[in-house]
Amino acid sequence: MRASGGERDLKKVSTFSGRGTTEAFRFVWKHRHQHGVKALCLHLNISRSGYYAWVNRRPSERRAENADLLFKIRRIFNDSKGRYGSPRVYQAFRREGVAVGENRVARIMREWCMTARVMRVYRRMTRRRDHLKALPNHRLDVGKPVAENQQWSSDVTYIKLGKTYVYLAVVLDLFSRRIISWRLEEKLNANLAKATLRQAFTSRQPEADLVFHTDRGIEYRAARTQALLNQYRVRHSMNRPGRCTDNAEVESFFKTLKGELLHATSFVSLRQLRKHIKDYIDGFYNSERLHSSLGYRTPLEFEKIN
């Protein structure tokens, strides 16, 4: 009499080549619905009671800790909208008093494919600027700021909106990395730079001799912008030729903004884009985002404690 299909399949189980009892238990668990636990244990010469004990065994303490840690990592990762990599997630745990190793956080995030959103920085469009006077880089002479409103930095980047581009100008306090003013407009000109500057002066009221650093863009060298800087007795500092790293802090902000907010996201109107940038700067970057250069504090927090 020919064996049934089920019997032939069961005979194949005898070819199981697991290296130990745990592997055998896993094999039984995988095939239990096709052949039944009793038959599989008999063919593999393992104890049914041992198998059921293995099934009902509670997960190890380490596995339980990892499961709990994964839940907490997901909470921090999701709260940052996918913007935090493992270093910032680790620092968030430290702030909460959770004792965990940075490598362990990185390993779990890697296993569960949690990767921070990143994106390259868009380079600014080439503009003619040779006919206006350039200024020296005063930042090389004054050293790092030790308080707010001693050194500001500014720049403009472009953002694609539909089939065209719009322009974002920001002013950043180099002491706390706080974005103290910003504007988003359809045109790139001196009015954009001047309006962003005026907003910063109004909100911060800096003392005379503030160092204001920019690149050599025409919007910063224009007469109307220079007049406003002179009104507030500001020392205007500029990048050295070919040294975009002289303004690295603002470039870093633009990279962060585009990687954490704009990457893989489309906006239908200038108004909508403005709202999202406002929410990002006011609701996250200045007040919630942990900055490694500030000892993993937020800009607002860093200003308060200093």
Side-chain angles (χ1 to χ4, degrees):
M1 180 182 295
R2 298 181 60 185
S4 66
E7 290 173 338
R8 286 196 302 272
D9 290 340
L10 185 57
K11 289 180 180 179
K12 294 179 183 178
V13 174
S14 62
T15 65
F16 168 74
S17 58
R19 294 186 297 274
T21 305
T22 300
E23 289 80 359
F25 288 158
R26 289 173 179 161
F27 189 87
V28 173
W29 174 263
K30 181 178 179 180
H31 298 281
R32 67 191 186 284
H33 295 303
Q34 293 93 332
H35 306 294
V37 172
K38 181 178 180 180
L40 287 168
C41 288
L42 179 63
H43 276 268
L44 295 176
N45 194 28
I46 58 176
S47 165
R48 265 195 297 164
S49 60
Y51 165 76
Y52 285 118
W54 175 83
V55 169
N56 294 324
R57 187 179 305 137
R58 296 181 63 179
S60 68
E61 183 177 348
R62 184 72 171 182
R63 289 177 59 191
E65 288 177 355
N66 282 343
D68 181 61
L69 185 58
L70 174 61
F71 176 81
K72 293 176 180 177
I73 289 173
R74 283 196 182 279
R75 171 179 56 78
I76 295 172
F77 184 77
N78 291 337
D79 285 348
S80 74
K81 297 183 180 178
R83 296 160 179 156
Y84 278 7
S86 59
R88 284 191 169 81
V89 171
Y90 167 71
Q91 292 296 333
F93 276 136
R94 288 190 62 186
R95 290 164 65 90
E96 295 177 0
V98 177
V100 63
E102 184 173 0
N103 290 338
R104 188 177 178 189
V105 171
R107 185 184 69 254
I108 292 175
M109 291 185 69
R110 185 168 57 249
E111 289 173 353
W112 290 89
C113 301
M114 285 183 277
T115 305
R117 298 166 62 178
V118 295
M119 190 179 184
R120 63 180 177 85
V121 177
Y122 296 142
R123 295 191 178 276
R124 292 214 297 176
M125 294 179 173
T126 302
R127 298 188 300 277
R128 295 186 61 188
R129 56 184 70 174
D130 295 335
H131 65 287
L132 294 176
K133 181 181 177 182
L135 297 169
N137 184 345
H138 295 300
R139 290 186 63 187
L140 301 177
D141 304 322
V142 297
K144 293 183 178 180
V146 295
E148 58 192 77
N149 296 331
Q150 291 182 342
Q151 295 180 36
W152 293 354
S153 186
S154 183
D155 202 355
V156 179
T157 192
Y158 69 90
I159 300 171
K160 190 168 185 180
L161 182 63
K163 295 182 180 180
T164 186
Y165 291 94
V166 293
Y167 303 91
L168 174 67
V170 302
V171 177
L172 177 148
D173 191 309
L174 288 167
F175 173 68
S176 64
R177 305 299 177 88
R178 179 179 178 181
I179 301 299
I180 56 179
S181 69
W182 63 275
R183 289 185 71 88
L184 181 71
E185 302 294 346
E186 294 176 309
K187 294 182 179 180
L188 175 59
N189 51 35
N191 289 333
L192 174 61
K194 182 180 177 180
T196 311
L197 256 176
R198 188 177 293 281
Q199 179 184 342
F201 287 135
T202 300
S203 64
R204 301 282 277 199
Q205 296 294 320
E207 297 180 359
D209 209 33
L210 164 73
V211 173
F212 178 67
H213 187 86
T214 69
D215 69 0
R216 299 183 169 214
I218 189 173
E219 64 276 7
Y220 293 111
R221 290 195 277 172
R224 67 189 67 179
T225 306
Q226 290 297 311
L228 181 61
L229 293 173
N230 291 334
Q231 177 186 337
Y232 284 90
R233 293 182 291 173
V234 171
R235 279 199 293 167
H236 192 182
S237 168
M238 287 185 175
N239 288 359
R240 292 166 292 176
R243 298 289 188 92
C244 62
T245 54
D246 285 352
N247 209 5
E249 295 84 0
V250 179
E251 292 288 344
S252 176
F253 167 73
F254 286 149
K255 180 179 179 180
T256 299
L257 171 78
K258 290 174 179 180
E260 296 183 350
L261 177 67
L262 305 180
H263 179 52
T265 305
S266 60
F267 300 93
V268 298
S269 69
L270 189 64
R271 180 179 179 181
Q272 182 193 39
L273 180 56
R274 276 200 188 102
K275 179 184 182 304
H276 281 270
I277 290 177
K278 183 180 188 305
D279 291 344
Y280 176 81
I281 292 176
D282 296 339
F284 181 70
Y285 187 85
N286 282 339
S287 59
E288 297 292 338
R289 192 179 194 275
L290 306 180
H291 292 245
S292 57
S293 62
L294 305 178
Y296 288 98
R297 297 182 178 92
T298 71
L300 288 177
E301 182 183 16
F302 191 76
E303 287 187 352
K304 287 180 181 179
I305 65 176
N306 292 280

